[in-house]
Structures are given as structure tokens and as C-alpha cells.
Amino acid sequence: MSWWSGVWRSVWSALSREVREHVGTDHLGNKYYYVAEYKNWRGQTIREKRIVEAANRKEVDYEAGDIPTEWEGNTKE
């Protein structure tokens, strides 16, 4: 990650009030996060989402099955 993208991520997270809950890490080193529904700085409601942070890999390096289908298919209750 470049220096600028780190700065951008810090500014964006401060403005959006997005709180990531670390759910787990798989055997490939991918980190899984859950973000609950929240209101951003403009008062808009942002729905819940799940995020996968890749383990220092580019999108083109992924193969089918690198991210479990359970993570992609299910929603947190």
C-alpha cells in the first residue's frame, strides 16, 4: 500500500465513522471484517457490509476458491 492510499484510508474512515469488526483470518492470510450499519457524516444510512482484506496480493493473483463461498454467500445475523 502506498503512502497516499494510507492517508486517504485514514481520512475516509474518520469522515465515514465506519467501524470494522475483525471476524477472522484464514490459512492464506486474508483478513475478514464486518461493518455494521451506520450513519455517515452527511446523515445517510450506510447498510452493513463485509470486507476481505487480501494478504498482499493483487486482484489478478486470486484464483477460484481463495475466498470461501460461505463468506461471500451468507449474511451476518
Side-chain angles (χ1 to χ4, degrees):
M1 176 171 22
S2 71
W3 182 82
W4 281 109
S5 61
V7 169
W8 173 249
R9 180 178 290 184
S10 297
V11 170
W12 179 253
S13 65
L15 290 176
S16 70
R17 299 182 191 153
E18 178 180 284
V19 178
R20 290 182 174 188
E21 174 189 342
H22 185 251
V23 178
T25 306
D26 65 11
H27 67 283
L28 298 172
N30 298 320
K31 295 179 182 177
Y32 298 89
Y33 296 93
Y34 170 75
V35 179
E37 186 176 283
Y38 66 96
K39 290 192 181 273
N40 68 5
W41 62 279
R42 296 187 338 185
Q44 298 171 320
T45 301
I46 308 298
R47 63 183 207 162
E48 68 178 23
K49 58 186 170 182
R50 294 180 293 177
I51 299 171
V52 177
E53 190 174 281
N56 299 323
R57 295 169 75 179
K58 296 180 182 174
E59 186 176 323
V60 296
D61 293 336
Y62 274 94
E63 296 178 12
D66 280 355
I67 297 182
T69 55
E70 295 84 9
W71 180 257
E72 297 290 342
N74 294 333
T75 59
K76 185 173 180 176
E77 296 177 13

